[in-house]
Amino acid sequence: ETGVTQTPRHLVMGMTNKKSLKCEQHLGHNAMYWYKQSAKKPLELMFVYNFKEQTENNSVPSRFSPECPNSSHLFLHLHTLQPEDSALYLCASSQVAGQGNTEAFFGQGTRLTVV
Amino acid sequence: GENVEQHPSTLSVQEGDSAVIKCTYSDSASNYFPWYKQELGKRPQLIIDIRSNVGEKKDQRIAVTLNKTAKHFSLHITETQPEDSAVYFCAAGRTGGGNKLTFGTGTQLKVEL
């Protein structure tokens, strides 16, 4: 395993539900990310956290709310989602060190279906 | 912001042939270009990356070339094998804080026997 674990692997939720996706990394990295992967679309960056601080919010609707309590854990809180939000949500982590961009390690993803 | 375009969207080759996937980027400040492979139902995994201070990098059967002037970079896979069948994503980003990667739309590579 790559050291990035996501739960749950699959989630079906109604449009009025509230749920959370969890990501945990055991690699000692200091940056974590949420990506959305839809059919026939590129990996879309949603949020970036560096040292627990959010540094990027890529125009994501407020029905997606990230939380990063520490550098090892990242959550994505979901509420009042739409069917078009159905996608694979991937978490990733990397080590930001000086001027070096290092490999982003991805989790297995959560397959979300909004009904 | 950065915009990455990737071509082709699908690529079918015979086993043993070479495969080439091309990407262009828009932000001249981007200096880090990784390539990820995603097999069906699995997570994307880094297969090779290149930084803007070099023009080519090779790792066994895979190589990546970078043309900073033209803002394009390419992935080359030689002697393709069935296990090379997957979706390949290029990405572009900047080193330093933020560590943001912009991905291409992906190329579905199929290696036929």
Side-chain angles (χ1 to χ4, degrees):
Chain A
E1 291 299 330
T2 66
V4 181
T5 305
Q6 287 186 245
T7 54
R9 292 290 305 278
H10 302 272
L11 178 62
V12 179
M13 61 185 288
M15 289 189 283
T16 58
N17 291 159
K18 289 185 180 181
K19 296 287 184 182
S20 295
L21 310 185
K22 179 182 177 181
C23 177
E24 184 174 0
Q25 58 97 359
H26 309 278
L27 301 168
H29 289 163
N30 53 20
M32 296 187 76
Y33 317 82
W34 280 116
Y35 284 88
K36 176 183 178 182
Q37 187 174 33
S38 306
K40 299 183 180 180
K41 284 188 177 182
L43 286 163
E44 300 173 76
L45 180 65
M46 300 175 72
F47 301 104
V48 179
Y49 277 83
N50 285 305
F51 298 97
K52 303 186 299 178
E53 298 297 322
Q54 187 181 129
T55 58
E56 186 87 21
N57 177 337
N58 215 21
S59 302
V60 180
S62 59
R63 59 185 183 269
F64 295 91
S65 175
E67 178 189 2
C68 188
N70 55 61
S71 57
S72 298
H73 294 85
L74 185 65
F75 296 89
L76 187 63
H77 304 300
L78 317 170
H79 64 97
T80 60
L81 295 191
Q82 304 298 312
E84 58 264 30
D85 296 323
S86 299
L88 180 68
Y89 288 84
L90 288 160
C91 172
S93 72
S94 70
Q95 184 67 14
V96 178
Q99 293 301 306
N101 237 356
T102 60
E103 176 181 355
F105 288 83
F106 285 87
Q108 290 275 29
T110 295
R111 174 67 63 186
L112 174 67
T113 303
V114 181
V115 297
Chain B
E2 176 65 275
N3 181 46
V4 177
E5 295 190 357
Q6 182 172 347
H7 300 280
S9 57
T10 60
L11 178 59
S12 185
V13 299
Q14 294 293 315
E15 183 180 8
D17 287 349
S18 295
V20 180
I21 303 170
K22 298 181 179 181
C23 288
T24 61
Y25 62 99
S26 61
D27 188 352
S28 57
S30 289
N31 56 8
Y32 175 64
F33 307 93
W35 286 87
Y36 284 81
K37 175 184 180 182
Q38 187 176 24
E39 297 178 26
L40 188 63
K42 296 189 176 181
R43 73 193 80 196
Q45 291 190 292
L46 181 76
I47 55 171
I48 194 168
D49 57 14
I50 191 169
R51 301 181 192 277
S52 59
N53 57 346
V54 297
E56 184 174 359
K57 184 177 178 180
K58 190 173 181 181
D59 183 4
Q60 297 183 342
R61 295 187 298 108
I62 59 173
V64 58
T65 58
L66 171 64
N67 183 326
K68 287 186 295 183
T69 303
K71 295 198 194 71
H72 64 71
F73 55 114
S74 301
L75 177 70
H76 305 252
I77 305 174
T78 58
E79 300 172 28
T80 53
Q81 301 169 2
E83 52 266 37
D84 294 329
S85 296
V87 178
Y88 292 81
F89 292 94
C90 64
R94 297 186 202 178
T95 56
N99 218 29
K100 171 184 172 182
L101 286 176
T102 301
F103 283 84
T105 49
T107 296
Q108 175 75 60
L109 173 64
K110 183 177 181 182
V111 180
E112 299 177 332
L113 297 171

